[in-house]
Amino acid sequence: LAGGGSGDSPVSEAPLPSTGAVAAPPVPTDPPPSAPPGPDPCAVNLASPSIAKAVSELPKDPRSQQGWNPEPVAGNYNECAPLSAVIVKANTNAANPNTRAVLFHLGKYIPNGVPDTYGFNGFDPAQSTGDTVALTFAGGMGLQSVVKFRWNGNGVELIGNTG
């Protein structure tokens, strides 16, 4: 028999030289997974600390004499938008607490020069754009009205009232 199994090879019979070195780990062929991206600063963020800070600066609710709850009822706060808004309610246990809108320009609270925003209790995303917010309130007999505010480059102006 002239077999030639793998054990017959002179190369396989020779002992490997010992260098004392440990074999290097295999090099990964895929890059390591990257960290997940951080939150998008231009996404709507109703949990932004800027909202709570702005709400803390508001004068008390004229009806209940209470402060305002910093957790928005609705809104589109966005630090990249020329105009965004949140709706907050008075921090009271009353059955129908007063509500108001808080307006922001590029994520910064607009404390002055804003038309009256009391009574708004909703936000209409379909009628809102980057520089316009459409706020809603339920009028008598369950009718909903929409009022639009727009950033005109220098401040906020009332541009529409539909009923």
Side-chain angles (χ1 to χ4, degrees):
L1 258 184
S6 64
D8 295 332
S9 164
V11 173
S12 67
E13 301 272 320
L16 294 174
S18 175
T19 62
V22 176
V27 176
T29 54
D30 293 332
S34 60
D40 180 355
C42 294
V44 170
N45 180 6
L46 297 183
S48 170
S50 297
I51 296 171
K53 182 179 183 314
V55 169
S56 74
E57 296 173 15
L58 297 173
K60 290 184 178 190
D61 169 34
R63 191 170 78 194
S64 69
Q65 295 304 307
Q66 297 296 314
W68 298 92
N69 186 327
E71 186 176 319
V73 174
N76 71 333
Y77 175 85
N78 176 331
E79 67 182 60
C80 299
L83 186 64
S84 61
V86 295
I87 306 294
V88 294
K89 64 183 179 179
N91 203 6
T92 175
N93 291 329
N96 293 307
N98 217 7
T99 56
R100 70 171 293 171
V102 182
L103 302 178
F104 298 86
H105 172 64
L106 300 176
K108 306 285 185 247
Y109 167 52
I110 307 170
N112 301 311
V114 175
D116 181 18
T117 60
Y118 287 101
F120 291 105
N121 52 20
F123 168 77
D124 185 348
Q127 296 187 52
S128 298
T129 63
D131 67 352
T132 302
V133 292
L135 304 177
T136 63
F137 63 93
M141 315 252 294
L143 298 175
Q144 183 167 306
S145 295
V146 176
V147 176
K148 293 181 188 176
F149 296 90
R150 181 174 75 89
W151 181 260
N152 66 14
N154 298 311
V156 178
E157 63 184 4
L158 180 68
I159 62 165
N161 185 353
T162 58

